[in-house]
């Protein structure tokens, strides 16, 4: 079903970010970002289909504007907090003599740019975790059964002509 499809592409999206942050190698970074950008239109498109097919037509304007506002606010907060978090907290921890140099630094490396690399990978892990948890929740509550993503009566009617 469409939720399984969304979960698969969301997981690939998170894996792309995890790859992008691993090493300070242009090939690894480009590969991860390519995978991330490849999945974005698919994830956003499926998300839009679910919202538009699940919300009553009379309420779609209000609901979709609220979803857009909340999405924009979280993106803005993420953008505002990323630089201080990476530069002030994570970068010093991943310096050659930092707190994380002998643990996470062995995986991500140490030195310049490793704070943002760790942050990008953590974001990928977060996307992966949220995708799996939401998918499990939706499956356990059987929410996908109550949503009619493609209404068969609409497809067979004259409304599409």
């Amino acid at each position: 079903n469409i939720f399984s499809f969304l979960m698969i592409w969301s997981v690939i999206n998170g894996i792309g970010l995890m790859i992008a942050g691993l090493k300070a190698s242009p090939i690894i970074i480009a590969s991860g970002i390519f995978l991330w950008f490849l999945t974005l239109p698919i994830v956003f498109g499926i998300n839009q289909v679910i919202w538009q097919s699940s919300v009553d037509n009379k309420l779609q304007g209000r609901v979709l504007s609220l979803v857009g506002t909340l999405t924009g606010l979280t993106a803005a907060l993420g953008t505002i907090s990323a630089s201080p978090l990476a530069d002030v907290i994570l970068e010093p921890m991943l310096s050659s003599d930092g707190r994380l140099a002998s643990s996470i630094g062995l995986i991500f490396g140490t030195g310049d740019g490793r704070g943002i690399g760790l942050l990008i990978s953590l974001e990928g892990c977060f996307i992966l975790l949220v995708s799996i948890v939401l998918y499990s929740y939706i499956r356990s509550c059987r929410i996908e059964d109550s949503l009619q993503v493609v209404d068969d009566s609409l497809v067979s009617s004259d409304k599409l002509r």
Side-chain angles (χ1 to χ4, degrees):
N1 67 23
I2 197 156
F3 289 104
S4 300
F5 197 63
L6 176 62
M7 190 276 227
I8 290 166
W9 286 103
S10 295
V11 165
I12 295 170
N13 183 281
I15 290 170
L17 282 178
M18 289 169 52
I19 291 169
L22 274 179
K23 298 286 178 194
S25 161
I27 293 173
I28 292 175
I29 294 169
S31 300
I33 295 298
F34 174 79
L35 193 59
W36 179 63
F37 271 120
L38 178 73
T39 60
L40 279 180
I42 298 167
V43 170
F44 288 158
I46 295 170
N47 185 29
Q48 191 71 17
V49 166
I50 291 171
W51 280 108
Q52 286 184 318
S53 62
S54 303
V55 175
D56 185 66
N57 289 341
K58 295 175 185 173
L59 300 174
Q60 276 188 11
R62 289 177 237 165
V63 171
L64 294 176
S65 65
L66 178 63
V67 168
T69 300
L70 293 176
T71 303
L73 282 174
T74 56
L77 288 174
T79 302
I80 290 170
S81 64
S83 181
L85 184 58
D87 294 341
V88 177
I89 297 172
L90 297 176
E91 190 81 22
M93 291 178 144
L94 285 171
S95 63
S96 58
D97 58 344
R99 290 184 192 164
L100 299 177
S102 61
S103 57
I104 294 177
L106 298 174
I107 298 168
F108 289 90
T110 58
D112 293 339
R114 294 299 67 219
I116 194 68
L118 176 60
L119 185 61
I120 290 170
S121 288
L122 288 174
E123 181 185 0
C125 288
F126 181 72
I127 291 171
L128 186 71
L129 179 68
V130 167
S131 298
I132 292 170
V133 167
L134 283 177
Y135 180 74
S136 299
Y137 176 76
I138 287 170
R139 297 291 293 182
S140 68
C141 293
R142 303 190 55 80
I143 292 173
E144 77 273 6
D145 294 341
S146 66
L147 298 176
Q148 186 72 23
V149 176
V150 176
D151 188 357
D152 295 330
S153 64
L154 177 65
V155 173
S156 63
S157 72
D158 292 328
K159 293 180 182 180
L160 293 178
R161 294 182 196 169

